[in-house]
């Protein structure tokens, strides 16, 4: 099949309004838009101005009206608890309506915020959809974050209610959610009026009288009483959710997603980018706490009338590196979407793919990778093992869908290893130098997107419009700054090379080294510190801390190291994967006092590096090299 990509991209470019109006024909609207795009509104204009719609209606009710009542909507497979459960669209509606009516009884109405702090259980998706049904704004917080991170999000979103669980389950340990939740509510200035707690049999928890309610009991009663909760029409531009993501400071950014544009872009992406037809089984092996989970575990497959798999487990160890293959065979999965790190983990455990031979994977057509750079070794290994196209694509929490990809539904373009391929319709991607001028083909620069951004992309940051402007729109006027650096080749293929800020990507999870530095620096024995991301064979990157201790501290260094590691785990959470903190005499700095993190990173990664012209004292780099070598790094 020759690709229609170029024709379709040009169609978008010549008339973006018509392109997105056509795509919007796939969505049911309560009221059509006055303007497809109104450039006079909001920070950079807004999509589907004046339209009314409901995301839950489009994700569930509409499919039931069209005969999908008995088709599986969500298949929950949890090897970590030994549980499997299927919800048809009809059953999903019953659950969602029941919870929506419980939320309504709790006083939740349109525009109220609800935080969802749940592990990978179907109730997470049900909670998101129940909020969408009544026009409440959900904010899902990833389970691997600690109480302090949850508290920050509670303060910013000021939720009326929190939905959580008694526990999550990680390999070899139960994560008690309730103490984390209670601590977060204690820490937060803004207090929710109620919490709804899903009791899990692996570790039920005590409930606080008058504040905590039992999810199973309330929803069970609502179902028995046949509770119905109609979909509330909301403006296309009203927020569907807030998803917090790491920014360049310790304060996470509340990325806002609207209802209308989000539905249109996601619905368009399912057939065009992923080549999926309604009724097929689709699996995004991520977590609902991340944007991939929001878009491709929950909303896109359901908006499309597909079946989505909700997997509670790991690619390895639950019980082995054959779990992914078992799921693909058992449910007839047409396409899998995950982060490269998951495949690196499988490859490490089963390099020859012995476990794979036990399964019939003939149903699988494509593997999609995103979330971090897909290294050519991993892509090639996956291609050899699965014998299907392996497609890298690039996107961000801020966009909610692909910026650059290889749209297999439009006809796959040739794969070039190391490139997520080409810009999707909606995105005019350009590479600018620091002065804001376009660079030549093949030259590295700042990757930017010409405004306006397409539907689904963030209209603003929650409660922080100025921060939105400052972080994304100010440095290159007229463009959205992605904070990724890269280049475009002669065929228009994009290469994503590095972040231009302090963000690192650990096992596909986006983390801020600046946030870690703030915590490390709060240790009483630490005078100053630096945290960098260093290459890691499995997780892509791992954080590495350097500590300069206060004069006169003469405690055991390993004790201080362990305290600092514990502090980061306690404040950010285990997901930070902060496992190494090295005491050093001094940090290398420029003469103006800027810490030379990039040079330290190159040394740690054994890359070529040049002595920075502005360095204050070059000897410090030798000291750092020796310290790293004494830990088995920096080419020791
Ligand atoms: N709740 C509580 N703790 C969690 C958690 C959750 N939802 N998710 C992860 N953690 C913990 C882990 O148990 C681990 O704790 P530990 O330090 O005590 O071992 C820590 O956070 C780090 O987790 P992670 O970086 O995920 O490492 P891992 O060793 O548990 O697993 C992989 C490594 C590669 C198997 C895993 O990261 C993976 O499957 N990644 C897939 C990528 C993905 O989902 N990306 C999302 C964007 S597409
Ligand atoms: P997140 O917001 O968590 O999805 O992280 C977004 C960041 O992850 C991007 O800005 C990139 O730095 C990185 N990223 C995501 N996908 C890719 C990819 N396919 N290739 C390279 N980097 C990626």
């Amino acid at each position: 099949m020759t690709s229609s990509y170029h024709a379709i991209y040009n169609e978008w470019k010549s008339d973006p309004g018509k392109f997105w109006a056509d795509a919007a024909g796939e969505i049911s609207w309560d009221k059509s838009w006055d303007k497809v795009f109104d450039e006079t509104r909001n920070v950079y204009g807004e999509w589907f101005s004046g339209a009314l719609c409901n995301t839950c209606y489009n994700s569930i009710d509409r499919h039931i009206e069209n005969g999908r009542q008995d088709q599986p909507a969500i298949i929950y497979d949890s090897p970590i608890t030994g549980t499997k459960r299927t919800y048809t669209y009809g059953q999903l509606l019953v659950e969602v309506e029941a919870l929506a009516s419980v939320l309504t009884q709790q006083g939740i109405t349109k525009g109220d915020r609800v935080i969802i702090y749940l592990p990978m259980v179907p109730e997470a998706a049900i909670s998101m959809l129940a909020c969408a049904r009544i026009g409440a704004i959900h904010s899902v917080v990833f389970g691997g974050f600690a109480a302090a991170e949850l508290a920050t999000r509670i303060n910013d979103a000021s939720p009326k209610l929190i939905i959580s669980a008694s526990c999550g389950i990680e390999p070899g340990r139960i994560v008690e959610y309730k103490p984390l939740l209670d601590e977060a509510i204690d820490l937060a200035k803004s207090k929710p009026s109620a919490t709804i707690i899903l009791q899990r049999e692996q570790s039920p928890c005590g409930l606080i009288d008058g504040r905590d309610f039992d999810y199973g009991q309330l929803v069970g009663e609502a179902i028995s009483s046949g509770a119905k909760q109609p979909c509330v029409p909301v403006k296309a531009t009203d927020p569907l959710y807030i998803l917090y993501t790491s920014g360049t400071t310790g304060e996470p950014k509340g990325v806002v997603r609207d209802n209308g544009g989000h539905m249109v872009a996601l619905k368009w992406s399912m057939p065009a980018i992923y080549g999926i037809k309604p009724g097929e089984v689709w699996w995004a092996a991520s977590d609902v706490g991340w944007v991939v989970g929001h878009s491709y575990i929950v909303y896109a497959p359901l908006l499309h009338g597909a079946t989505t798999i909700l997997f509670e487990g790991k690619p390895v160890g639950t019980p082995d590196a054959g779990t992914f293959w078992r799921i693909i065979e058992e449910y007839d999965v047409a396409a899998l979407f995950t982060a490269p790190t998951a495949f690196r983990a499988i490859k490490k455990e089963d390099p020859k793919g012995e476990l794979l031979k036990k399964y019939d994977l003939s149903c699988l057509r494509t593997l999609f990778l995103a979330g971090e750079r897909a290294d050519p070794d991993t892509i090639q290994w996956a291609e050899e093992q699965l014998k299907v196209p392996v497609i890298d694509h690039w996107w961000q929490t801020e966009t909610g869908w692909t910026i650059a990809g290889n749209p297999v539904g439009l006809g796959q373009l040739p794969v070039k290893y190391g490139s997520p391929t080409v810009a999707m319709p909606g995105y005019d991607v350009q590479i600018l130098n620091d002065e804001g001028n376009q660079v030549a083909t093949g030259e590295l620069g700042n990757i930017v997107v010409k405004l306006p951004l397409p539907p689904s992309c963030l209209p603003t940051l929650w409660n922080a419009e100025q921060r939105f402007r400052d972080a994304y729109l100010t440095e290159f006027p007229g463009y959205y700054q992605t904070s990724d650096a890269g280049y475009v080749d002669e065929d228009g293929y994009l290469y994503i090379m590095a972040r231009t800020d302090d963000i690192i990507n650990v096992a596909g999870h986006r983390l801020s080294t600046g946030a870690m530095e703030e915590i490390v620096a709060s240790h009483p024995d630490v005078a100053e510190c630096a945290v960098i991301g260093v290459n890691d064979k499995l997780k892509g990157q791992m954080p590495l801390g350097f500590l300069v201790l206060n004069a006169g501290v003469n405690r055991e260094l390993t004790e201080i190291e362990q305290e600092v590691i514990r502090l980061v785990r306690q404040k950010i959470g285990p997901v930070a994967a902060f496992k190494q903190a090295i005491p050093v005499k001094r940090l290398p700095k420029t003469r103006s006092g800027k810490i030379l993190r990039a040079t330290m990173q190159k040394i740690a990664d054994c890359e070529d590096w040049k002595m920075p012209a502005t360095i204050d004292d070059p000897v410090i780099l030798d000291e750092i090299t020796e310290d790293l070598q004494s830990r088995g790094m920096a080419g020791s």
Side-chain angles (χ1 to χ4, degrees):
M1 171 181 174
T2 52
S3 180
S4 58
Y5 160 76
H6 289 99
I8 288 181
Y9 188 82
N10 289 333
E11 205 181 285
W12 160 71
K13 218 168 176 186
S14 64
D15 192 347
K18 178 173 183 314
F19 182 90
W20 289 117
D22 288 350
E26 294 290 317
I27 297 298
S28 296
W29 302 87
D30 293 286
K31 173 185 171 293
S32 189
W33 49 90
D34 302 324
K35 272 187 155 183
V36 185
F37 183 71
D38 187 344
E39 69 280 359
T40 65
R41 296 181 65 90
N42 220 323
V43 179
Y44 62 85
E46 67 179 26
W47 290 100
F48 307 107
S49 250
L52 295 177
C53 57
N54 185 283
T55 296
C56 181
Y57 173 79
N58 276 279
S59 304
I60 308 178
D61 307 55
R62 184 173 58 128
H63 303 308
I64 294 173
E65 289 162 17
N66 292 332
R68 295 194 186 278
Q69 162 94 13
D70 298 324
Q71 180 198 307
I74 297 178
I75 296 173
Y76 166 57
D77 189 301
S78 169
I80 207 154
T81 60
T83 318
K84 296 176 187 179
R85 212 182 308 150
T86 296
Y87 295 82
T88 63
Y89 274 96
Q91 290 163 333
L92 182 60
L93 180 62
V94 171
E95 296 285 334
V96 169
E97 278 202 281
L99 181 59
S101 95
V102 166
L103 293 178
T104 306
Q105 278 161 22
Q106 292 285 336
I108 306 299
T109 56
K110 188 159 99 176
D112 287 340
R113 272 82 59 210
V114 173
I115 279 190
I116 299 171
Y117 183 57
L118 282 171
M120 279 292 286
V121 289
E123 287 79 1
I126 291 166
S127 300
M128 292 161 78
L129 291 158
C131 289
R133 193 167 190 87
I134 58 172
I137 303 166
H138 63 70
S139 186
V140 182
V141 178
F142 177 62
F145 283 123
E149 288 286 323
L150 178 57
T152 310
R153 287 153 176 80
I154 295 175
N155 276 338
D156 198 63
S158 53
K160 253 195 189 165
L161 187 137
I162 300 182
I163 305 176
S164 188
S166 57
C167 69
I169 296 119
E170 283 293 293
R173 74 189 159 103
I174 301 262
V175 182
E176 306 285 353
Y177 274 41
K178 189 56 176 20
L180 295 172
L181 176 67
D182 288 345
E183 190 189 338
I185 294 175
D186 279 350
L187 286 171
K189 286 192 204 81
S190 160
K191 309 281 180 196
S193 52
T195 75
I196 299 182
I197 308 293
L198 178 74
Q199 294 282 19
R200 302 192 78 189
E201 64 182 40
Q202 291 77 12
S203 182
C205 63
L207 300 181
I208 299 173
D209 247 3
R211 190 201 73 183
D212 299 339
F213 297 88
D214 184 318
Y215 183 110
Q217 189 192 333
L218 294 190
V219 169
E221 284 165 8
I223 291 176
S224 316
S225 69
K228 296 274 168 229
Q229 194 64 45
C231 293
V232 173
V234 295
K235 285 193 209 135
T237 49
D238 278 342
L240 169 68
Y241 69 77
I242 307 165
L243 178 56
Y244 288 89
T245 190
S246 300
T248 40
T249 68
E251 288 295 302
K253 295 167 171 166
V255 169
V256 173
R257 188 86 56 222
D258 70 11
N259 277 273
H262 177 241
M263 285 197 278
V264 172
L266 259 47
K267 177 76 175 85
W268 183 86
S269 74
M270 285 303 280
I273 298 181
Y274 300 105
I276 293 293
K277 293 191 263 310
E280 288 192 314
V281 182
W282 158 264
W283 180 21
S286 175
D287 189 290
V288 283
W290 307 115
V291 68
V292 173
H294 279 63
S295 294
Y296 290 103
I297 296 175
V298 182
Y299 287 115
L302 297 181
L303 286 166
H304 197 46
T307 298
T308 184
I309 305 238
L310 197 137
F311 169 72
E312 188 184 26
K314 302 269 173 178
V316 294
T318 58
D320 57 31
T323 303
F324 272 28
W325 323 139
R326 195 252 314 154
I327 299 238
I328 292 169
E329 181 191 80
E330 191 166 332
Y331 303 112
D332 226 7
V333 172
L336 167 65
F337 176 174
T338 192
T341 189
F343 266 74
R344 288 196 296 269
I346 297 171
K347 180 178 165 214
K348 188 168 165 235
E349 292 280 305
D350 184 18
K352 296 209 173 93
E354 297 296 344
L355 291 165
L356 198 133
K357 292 179 191 132
K358 298 197 330 205
Y359 299 92
D360 173 4
L361 303 188
S362 54
C363 53
L364 188 74
R365 293 197 297 268
T366 329
L367 168 66
F368 295 94
L369 299 175
E372 56 170 333
R373 186 171 175 273
D375 52 291
D377 275 0
T378 304
I379 298 184
Q380 273 164 336
W381 184 82
E383 280 174 343
E384 278 159 24
Q385 299 299 326
L386 297 174
K387 315 242 173 331
V388 297
V390 177
I391 305 292
D392 179 19
H393 58 323
W394 168 61
W395 50 300
Q396 304 185 317
T397 303
E398 287 83 347
T399 65
W401 68 294
T402 313
I403 311 171
N406 193 336
V408 297
L410 304 182
Q412 193 193 311
L413 297 164
V415 168
K416 292 194 195 185
Y417 295 134
S419 167
T421 318
V422 288
M424 289 299 95
Y427 296 95
D428 180 353
V429 177
Q430 300 187 14
I431 314 289
L432 304 183
N433 61 20
D434 290 347
E435 288 69 49
N437 301 315
Q438 286 200 29
V439 302
T441 301
E443 206 176 295
L444 193 72
N446 301 285
I447 311 180
V448 297
V449 180
K450 195 163 186 297
L451 293 174
L453 291 169
S456 163
C457 293
L458 78 173
T460 190
L461 292 174
W462 183 254
N463 278 341
E465 188 164 305
Q466 193 53 45
R467 190 172 177 204
F468 173 57
R469 291 175 194 274
D470 294 345
Y472 300 104
L473 308 179
T474 306
E475 191 163 344
F476 301 104
Y479 297 91
Y480 163 81
Q481 180 185 3
T482 66
S483 293
D484 277 311
Y487 63 93
V488 174
D489 75 6
E490 61 288 353
D491 298 320
Y493 278 52
L494 196 62
Y495 292 76
I496 315 298
M497 304 309 288
R499 288 285 300 196
T500 55
D501 55 12
D502 73 333
I503 299 294
I504 58 170
N505 211 308
V506 181
H509 310 319
R510 172 169 160 177
L511 298 162
S512 153
T513 54
M516 293 185 212
E517 284 182 5
E518 278 176 31
I519 293 163
V520 174
S522 72
H523 187 283
D525 291 340
V526 173
E528 61 174 345
C529 67
V531 177
I532 59 171
V534 294
N535 286 338
D536 182 79
K537 272 208 169 98
L538 177 64
K539 297 194 179 188
Q541 282 184 301
M542 282 285 271
L544 171 64
F546 295 88
L547 321 173
V548 178
L549 301 181
N550 285 317
V553 172
N554 55 7
R555 300 171 51 212
E556 275 291 325
L557 293 183
T558 49
E559 213 173 277
I560 299 173
E561 278 172 53
Q562 288 313 310
E563 283 170 9
V564 167
I565 289 168
R566 267 202 304 277
L567 198 60
V568 176
R569 190 178 173 94
Q570 192 195 335
K571 296 274 182 198
I572 297 184
V575 68
F578 185 83
K579 311 239 164 168
Q580 291 206 73
I582 309 179
V584 294
K585 252 198 320 206
R586 306 176 285 175
L587 291 172
K589 292 184 186 165
T590 61
R591 281 190 282 277
S592 59
K594 246 179 120 187
I595 298 173
L596 291 161
R597 293 181 182 80
T599 313
M600 291 160 78
Q601 182 181 337
K602 286 202 165 73
I603 294 173
D605 285 342
C606 298
E607 287 172 16
D608 291 339
W609 58 277
K610 271 200 223 126
M611 183 63 70
T614 54
I615 192 163
D616 186 31
D617 183 353
V619 175
I620 302 179
L621 289 176
D622 295 334
E623 294 170 9
I624 294 284
T625 308
E626 278 167 28
D627 287 328
L628 284 166
Q629 286 174 339
S630 71
R631 305 279 179 134
M633 287 179 266
S636 56

